[in-house]
């Protein structure tokens, strides 16, 4: 199954507007968007920085390894984002309408991770 097909399935199961897979430098690996106006690669690159900051904060505050941060959610007045790590150096972001459950999305991303890792080889 291709990355795009996995992301499309993830969006369908969660009600996400779209999802994007990026590497640690913010480079686009694959994306799926239900809206042609949505620039998921730009959203992803900027929010990867937030993931790095959260990892650093976890390390400083708890002494835990940066790998212990597996998912971050962001809620605004109009939407939500779920940022989840795949494996070292890769992450996926799902963009959600405000009405969609963050917990459901995080759960579905966790189920999609093995499929993405299998596709990575």
């Amino acid at each position: 199954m291709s990355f795009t097909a996995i992301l499309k399935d993830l969006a369908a199961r969660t009600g996400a507007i779209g999802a994007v897979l990026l590497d640690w430098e913010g480079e686009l690996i694959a994306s799926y968007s239900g809206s042609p106006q949505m620039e998921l690669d730009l959203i992803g690159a900027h929010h990867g920085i937030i993931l790095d900051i959260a990892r650093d904060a976890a390390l400083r505050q708890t002494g835990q390894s940066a790998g212990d941060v597996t998912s971050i959610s962001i809620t605004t007045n109009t939407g939500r984002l779920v940022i989840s790590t795949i494996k070292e150096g890769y992450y996926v972001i799902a963009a959600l309408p405000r009405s969609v459950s963050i917990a459901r999305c995080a759960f579905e991303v966790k189920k999609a991770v093995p499929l993405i890792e299998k596709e990575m080889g």
Side-chain angles (χ1 to χ4, degrees):
M1 181 182 283
S2 72
F3 293 132
T4 303
I6 295 168
L7 296 174
K8 183 177 180 179
D9 184 56
L10 174 64
R13 287 183 315 204
T14 62
I17 299 164
V20 62
L21 174 64
L22 299 116
D23 71 8
W24 66 276
E25 294 180 324
E27 293 293 323
L28 180 69
I29 306 296
S31 69
Y32 168 76
S33 176
S35 170
Q37 292 83 18
M38 189 169 218
E39 296 183 29
L40 286 173
D41 53 335
L42 295 177
I43 291 170
H46 292 288
H47 287 85
I49 295 167
I50 293 171
L51 181 60
D52 288 339
I53 292 168
R55 287 177 168 171
D56 290 343
L59 182 60
R60 283 193 309 274
Q61 296 297 320
T62 64
Q64 296 175 342
S65 87
D68 291 341
V69 175
T70 58
S71 184
I72 298 170
S73 60
I74 299 171
T75 301
T76 68
N77 289 335
T78 58
R80 297 177 168 173
L81 292 174
V82 173
I83 307 167
S84 298
T85 58
I86 301 296
K87 62 181 183 178
E88 189 62 37
Y90 296 91
Y91 58 99
V92 65
I93 297 177
L96 314 165
R98 178 103 169 129
S99 60
V100 172
S101 166
I102 289 173
R104 165 88 181 180
C105 184
F107 175 76
E108 292 294 341
V109 170
K110 191 172 186 177
K111 286 175 37 180
V113 166
L115 298 172
I116 293 170
E117 288 178 342
K118 182 179 177 184
E119 187 67 23
M120 288 177 166

